């Protein structure tokens, strides 16, 4: 095993930084060859990987984890094949490193250009799923970055097995195995330490819930990409086609309620609430949705015999991640936009309307990573946006916003050629 | 006076956020008109502004500040005219807001595009110079952003006078004066509080020394653009044209030694050290430069009767900001690159060589915001790079690197038009 349990994290950082310099010099062809080797070695070592995962699963059962959580931890042949297939997809993606832009000959005589280069070392803190280990390593290596991984303790054996295979593949290509490092100790103090290693780590990506995001925002001295928290809104305008609206609303809430782009709050124009709320309320109830309603909407729903709970102050600031939906009647679109500004996490918002001027205003006024007209919030996703890969979904505004593709794992440097040129 | 001395910073944040929504809707024409009014009103109010500055200057003298520092605080008619002229230049720049890119019709039926939008609210913490108040406000307003300014206490009266004029101009255009807020209280706890107002502030720009940068990195929960610290290197390769090299080396060190892109360490290939160090050492000494030399270079310099100090561990990790220069003999370019990786702040590095392969390798291997072949490090600057405006010089890798232009004050949002489209 290449990953020690007693960790000198600063050494991890140093090694990763040193490895990043080697990775940054690789051509696209060399990086593809490396990823092919990883893919091949994962296939060859699948029995050992599944055996390691079986230990994690047995421990999870011993620890009384829920079936749902155990299912998230589980690797089987088909899931592992899926993970390997994802690497093959990453290989096919365009390498964003080495592109030059803004090339110009300046008046001062310099020939200047801006070249995209790897970020360097990326720290990723994530929760249970073992596929993230391979996924993130592949995306980082594709873009010439080293990674320091901190996965959940529930999949530690799987993660060790997976990262060992990746490190062996690196060594097979005469590259430093330290380009992919796994923190195996469950000591939570190491997370805080990682967040402060700004001399070695260039970016932190937390892939997990609100507590992890908050910890990173508060403790990190390294730039953090916050994301993955979606308090998403859909505003049903008075000019919406109500016959067609239901499919979108139900899709946004029900298709996959546990993810960040699922709908959290339905805002409905007061002119259509009386007519439409009973109908959509009924349809949502049939899909198993619990409605949490404002006073006005509650009155309408209860009068039609549709069960609902009363919203309190927290309801509209909650990412439900379940079949629960906040409902609120608004006086007009301005009111809806105001509500969104107050409660949104800046992830995804939608308007349903046939009024083009309302649609345009909503697009202009709502400031979230993705804003939709007549579409489900569920589309906020790298694959759906045609970006090829998704590193994370950023809800902050610096560097990358919304679904982050490979480009978000790069930075740039300015290159200037002179002829013994001094500044006058 | 519109700025209160007893500050409810959260209220500042709320007001700035609310103002930012109004600014984000302005067209380029409207923003230019606003900036013209600011320029005009600054001219009209110049007597009052200079009177306010006179109070700052008198207090600075009372407090025994150095002449150099007092000169930094001073506004006179010609400096104020310069500040106003800068606004006129900002008006002429291209507005980066509202550009759409990556427009495409997706297989899922959505019409997607990525639109550049203002960041929202920018917090700027800066030191003595009063021109920064106007400069940053103009750049922020040009890009539709609100700002919360925290200037140095030494120029508080000047800053109040300047920001009052700007707020009046905003109001004249029926825009919220709160788009430009000035924290007037000298209480340092407010800085820490500002750094944690992530619900209202989208980006922090610290324009000041190492201590301020460090404070921001450690305390902020808001993304920070670190920058302006330059430990800059020039590597003199054995294949350099030594006759032409001197001008560049002297320029990099001497032209303006107090700024971040001035040269801090000269690395010289061992094959030419014996021949060239006495010569360049002599020339640098004639320019008043203090040399801080490694053992090898010290030996060579002293043998030629050129005065120099001995470098210690800290010497090569120091941003001199003065007429001091570190000197070190290196075995080869790999050695030089290794030294740079260890000591650089990632700002600007240069190689002088006539060997194209050495130049290319240096460009590829050195990872700083700007890398030069045969040119002075002094070129790392927004105006020199032809970027029009310079918000700051970023030495971090996320969002913006090197000289930051107006574009760095924007983010983007994804806009998607569907036809009651659900995700399948």
């Amino acid at each position: 095993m290449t990953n020690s349990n007693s960790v000198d994290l600063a050494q991890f950082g140093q090694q990763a930084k040193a490895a990043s310099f080697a990775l940054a010099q690789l051509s696209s062809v060399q990086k593809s060859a490396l990823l092919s080797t990883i893919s091949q070695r994962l296939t060859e070592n699948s029995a050992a990987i599944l055996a390691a995962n079986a230990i994690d699963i047995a421990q999870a059962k011993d620890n009384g984890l829920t079936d749902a959580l155990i299912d998230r931890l589980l690797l089987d042949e088909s899931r592992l094949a899926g993970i390997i297939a994802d690497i093959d997809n990453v290989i096919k993606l365009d390498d964003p490193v080495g592109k030059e832009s803004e090339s110009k000959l300046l008046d001062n005589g310099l020939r200047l250009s801006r070249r995209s280069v790897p970020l360097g070392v990326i720290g990723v803190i994530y929760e249970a799923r073992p596929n993230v280990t391979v996924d993130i390593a592949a995306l980082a290596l594709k873009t010439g970055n080293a990674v320091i991984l901190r996965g959940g303790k529930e999949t530690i054996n799987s993660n060790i097995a997976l990262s060992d295979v990746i490190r062996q593949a690196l060594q097979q290509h005469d590259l430093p195995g330290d380009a992919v490092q796994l923190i195996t100790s469950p000591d939570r103090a190491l997370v805080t330490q990682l967040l402060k290693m700004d001399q070695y780590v260039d970016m932190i990506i937390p892939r997990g819930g609100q507590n992890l995001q908050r910890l990173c925002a508060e403790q990190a001295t390294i730039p953090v990409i916050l994301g993955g928290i979606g308090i998403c809104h859909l505003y049903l305008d008075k000019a919406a086609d109500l016959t067609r609206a239901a499919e979108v609303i139900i899709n946004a809430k029900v298709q996959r309620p546990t993810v960040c782009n699922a709908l959290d709050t339905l805002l409905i124009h007061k002119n259509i609430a009386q007519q439409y709320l009973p109908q959509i309320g009924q349809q949502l109830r049939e899909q198993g949705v619990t409605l949490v309603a404002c006073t006005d909407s509650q009155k309408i729903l209860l009068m039609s015999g549709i069960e609902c709970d009363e919203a309190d102050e927290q309801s509209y600031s909650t990412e439900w991640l379940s079949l629960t939906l906040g409902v609120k009647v608004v006086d007009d679109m301005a009111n809806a936009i105001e509500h969104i500004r107050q409660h949104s996490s800046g992830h995804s918002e939608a308007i349903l309307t046939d009024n083009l001027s309302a649609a345009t205003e909503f697009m202009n006024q709502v400031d979230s990573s993705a804003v939709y007209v007549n579409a489900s919030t569920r589309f906020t996703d790298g694959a759906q946006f045609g970006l090829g890969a998704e590193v994370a979904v950023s809800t902050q505004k610096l560097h990358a916003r919304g679904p982050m593709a490979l480009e978000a794992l790069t930075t740039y440097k300015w290159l200037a050629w002179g002829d013994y040129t001094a500044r006058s």
Side-chain angles (χ1 to χ4, degrees), chain A:
Chain A
M1 197 191 308
T2 43
N3 297 290
S4 158
N5 208 37
S6 70
V7 177
D8 178 354
L9 212 54
Q11 202 189 331
F12 264 47
Q14 263 165 3
Q15 291 165 340
K17 190 53 127 184
S20 77
F21 294 128
L23 291 181
Q25 304 305 316
L26 298 180
S27 68
S28 296
V29 171
Q30 288 171 310
K31 289 184 282 190
S32 293
L34 168 64
L35 291 174
S36 289
T37 302
I38 292 173
S39 156
Q40 197 181 316
R41 276 180 172 265
L42 286 172
T43 307
E44 288 164 10
N45 289 276
S46 56
I49 293 165
L50 296 180
N53 183 254
I55 301 174
D56 289 330
I57 297 294
Q59 284 178 356
K61 286 181 179 162
D62 285 351
N63 293 333
L65 267 59
T66 63
D67 284 353
L69 192 50
I70 290 175
D71 184 63
R72 288 184 63 192
L73 310 182
L74 183 72
L75 285 181
D76 55 24
E77 278 195 30
S78 110
R79 287 189 182 180
L80 188 55
I83 291 172
I84 294 166
D86 281 344
I87 299 179
D88 297 333
N89 287 330
V90 170
I91 292 172
K92 285 179 210 136
L93 294 175
D94 192 28
D95 181 357
V97 170
K99 301 212 186 311
E100 296 206 355
S101 60
E102 311 213 13
S103 297
K104 51 193 164 186
L105 186 62
L106 297 167
D107 290 342
N108 56 28
L110 296 182
R111 190 152 46 87
L112 183 77
S113 64
R114 208 175 103 157
R115 182 192 292 175
S116 67
V117 295
L119 273 170
V121 179
I122 302 169
V124 185
I125 304 162
Y126 54 105
E127 290 171 351
R129 292 173 200 271
N131 63 305
V132 176
T133 306
V134 179
D135 191 24
I136 285 285
L139 295 169
L141 294 173
K142 171 82 184 185
T143 45
N145 291 288
V147 274
I148 299 179
L149 302 171
R150 174 40 148 94
K153 66 176 185 307
E154 298 82 0
T155 49
I156 189 64
N157 292 290
S158 315
N159 288 342
I160 290 172
L162 292 165
S163 65
D164 277 352
V165 169
I166 296 169
R167 293 166 64 96
Q168 286 154 16
L170 281 157
Q171 282 153 1
Q172 181 181 327
H173 285 261
D174 290 324
L175 291 166
D178 293 333
V180 175
Q181 309 227 32
L182 177 70
I183 301 173
T184 57
S185 161
D187 185 358
R188 296 206 61 172
L190 290 174
V191 172
T192 315
Q193 200 187 328
L194 175 62
L195 295 176
K196 296 184 187 298
M197 292 212 307
D198 48 59
Q199 70 274 49
Y200 303 121
V201 182
D202 298 291
M203 174 164 88
I204 294 285
I205 304 179
R207 291 192 28 170
Q210 200 119 35
N211 290 342
L212 176 63
Q213 305 282 330
R214 210 52 224 161
L215 178 78
C216 291
E218 280 167 10
Q219 296 293 322
T221 59
I222 305 164
V224 177
I225 298 289
L226 296 179
I229 307 290
I231 300 177
C232 302
H233 299 79
L234 189 148
Y235 164 58
L236 187 65
D237 186 49
K238 62 181 176 191
D241 181 332
L242 297 179
T243 321
R244 304 180 73 196
E247 188 195 347
V248 180
I249 297 169
I250 292 167
N251 180 266
K253 180 67 252 180
V254 172
Q255 199 220 14
R256 203 168 164 206
T258 57
V259 294
C260 57
N261 56 20
L263 183 61
D264 293 286
T265 303
L266 174 67
L267 302 168
I268 181 166
H269 192 286
K270 65 171 185 217
N271 291 10
I272 53 169
Q274 190 73 46
Q275 168 202 353
Y276 190 65
L277 255 185
Q279 178 186 331
I280 187 71
Q282 180 63 34
Q283 287 178 281
L284 287 162
R285 292 289 302 140
E286 280 165 13
Q287 298 280 339
V289 175
T290 301
L291 303 171
V292 177
C294 68
T295 318
D296 288 347
S297 47
Q298 199 185 23
K299 212 176 292 172
I300 297 170
L301 289 165
L302 292 180
M303 267 176 51
S304 305
I306 296 165
E307 213 180 310
C308 62
D309 298 336
E310 192 176 335
D312 62 21
E313 272 185 17
Q314 274 312 298
S315 306
Y316 298 120
S317 301
T318 303
E319 186 189 27
W320 297 112
L321 297 171
S322 68
L323 280 174
T324 300
L325 180 66
V327 178
K328 193 182 175 189
V329 175
V330 293
D331 288 342
D332 52 23
M333 188 167 71
N335 204 207
I337 291 171
E338 188 51 42
H339 178 98
I340 291 170
R341 286 179 178 167
Q342 207 140 24
H343 297 280
S344 166
S345 62
H347 193 296
S348 302
E349 333 292 346
I351 183 175
L352 300 187
T353 188
D354 278 348
N355 181 318
L356 184 54
S357 137
T360 303
E361 196 180 335
F362 189 87
M363 284 284 200
N364 289 343
Q365 298 256 357
V366 172
D367 185 31
S368 288
S369 86
V371 190
Y372 296 90
V373 169
N374 296 342
S376 167
T377 54
R378 287 277 296 115
F379 285 108
T380 308
D381 172 280
Q384 291 293 326
F385 277 16
L387 303 178
E390 180 179 292
V391 177
V393 177
S394 162
T395 54
Q396 59 162 39
K397 296 183 181 177
L398 261 67
H399 191 65
R401 199 175 190 200
M404 287 168 62
L406 285 176
E407 201 191 332
L409 299 184
T410 68
T411 180
Y412 54 83
K413 60 183 177 189
W414 296 92
L415 302 177
W417 297 80
D419 181 31
Y420 296 88
T421 312
R423 180 166 169 184
S424 54

